[in-house]
Amino acid sequence: SQQGEEDPQALSIQEGENATMNCSYKTSINNLQWYRQNSGRGLVHLILIRSNEREKHSGRLRVTLDTSKKSSSLLITASRAADTASYFCATDAGSARQLTFGSGTQLTVLP
Amino acid sequence: DTAVSQTPKYLVTQMGNDKSIKCEQNLGHDTMYWYKQDSKKFLKIMFSYNNKELIINETVPNRFSPKSPDKAHLNLHINSLELGDSAVYFCASSQVRGIDTGELFFGEGSRLTVL
């Protein structure tokens, strides 16, 4: 079954603006990961945040995790046209030995 | 060097045919996966193998049969193809440590079109 739901489904912004994507999930997790998928390509891992962490940064990416609300957000600061892609959250429930992916957010950054 | 490679990238075939997709990883990971991505980009796990042993088999029709000759390879064979099998199939690998699935490394995908 689908674990994560992402919001919004699609987001269109101007270059230089910040983009925020949200992910909600249903069960307890070991960690949560964010992936990016360019059109016609495979998914690429961006960042992993563990269940005992609240915030993590990597370059222009900032991820937060609220386990009490079962939600996470991905913030991309100072977006670029090259950030145009689909972004997916994925949850690792631990013993399941698999990642369950959300429905994805299609981000379009206009030059 | 490509970490996870899958072939073919595109596959167009008639209903009822049998086809295979091959996947190889050179990362030394012990776990490999097949995911199916539908037209709405929803990704669903199909199978997972750990050291050549099947550990996850989601509710996939038994027309789909994975085969792992060694831990670096996980192939997918599909019998009697149906229109609904049209999708992009992704192979992935990870290094599982304890209960931690780890980061997944994906192939570029194989787009299957059944006519």
Side-chain angles (χ1 to χ4, degrees), chain B residues 92-108:
Chain B
S93 73
S94 75
Q95 186 60 41
V96 174
R97 293 187 176 84
I99 62 168
D100 208 347
T101 299
E103 168 190 345
L104 262 59
F105 289 77
F106 282 83
E108 290 293 288

Side-chain angles (χ1 to χ4, degrees), chain B residues 4 10 13-14 16 28 35 38 42 55 58 63 78 83 87 91-93 96-97 103 109 113:
Chain B
V4 180
Y10 300 98
T13 188
Q14 297 288 331
Y35 278 85
D38 64 21
F42 175 51
I55 56 171
E58 290 293 307
R63 297 182 295 103
I78 315 170
L83 294 176
C91 177
S93 73
V96 174
R97 293 187 176 84
E103 168 190 345
T113 303

Side-chain angles (χ1 to χ4, degrees), chain B residues 60-97:
Chain B
V60 176
N62 56 16
R63 297 182 295 103
F64 290 78
S65 52
K67 284 191 172 50
S68 183
D70 55 61
K71 76 172 195 176
H73 295 84
L74 181 61
N75 304 323
L76 184 65
H77 188 77
I78 315 170
N79 289 330
S80 304
L81 279 157
E82 299 177 357
L83 294 176
D85 297 333
S86 295
V88 182
Y89 292 85
F90 284 98
C91 177
S93 73
S94 75
Q95 186 60 41
V96 174
R97 293 187 176 84

Side-chain angles (χ1 to χ4, degrees), chain A residues 1-2 30-31 33 35 37 40-43 45 50 86 88 92 94-99 101-102 106, chain B residues 9 33 35 37 41-45 48 50 55-56 58 90 96 98-104 106-108:
Chain A
S1 64
Q2 189 175 349
N30 183 39
N31 65 65
Q33 304 180 29
Y35 287 79
Q37 183 182 30
R41 305 296 297 273
L43 282 77
H45 180 263
R50 300 199 175 280
S86 292
F88 294 87
D92 179 358
S95 58
R97 284 191 174 181
Q98 62 168 294
L99 293 187
F101 284 80
Q106 172 62 50
Chain B
K9 189 169 173 65
Y33 311 81
Y35 278 85
Q37 187 173 46
K41 293 195 174 180
F42 175 51
L43 267 163
K44 183 175 168 58
I45 190 161
S48 170
N50 178 264
I55 56 171
I56 293 171
E58 290 293 307
F90 284 98
V96 174
I99 62 168
D100 208 347
T101 299
E103 168 190 345
L104 262 59
F106 282 83
E108 290 293 288

Side-chain angles (χ1 to χ4, degrees), chain A residues 14-44:
Chain A
Q14 294 292 134
E15 211 166 22
E17 293 180 340
N18 295 343
T20 300
M21 289 159 267
N22 303 298
C23 168
S24 59
Y25 57 92
K26 295 173 185 169
T27 63
S28 61
I29 60 171
N30 183 39
N31 65 65
L32 184 144
Q33 304 180 29
W34 284 90
Y35 287 79
R36 165 195 169 125
Q37 183 182 30
N38 285 16
S39 180
R41 305 296 297 273
L43 282 77
V44 175

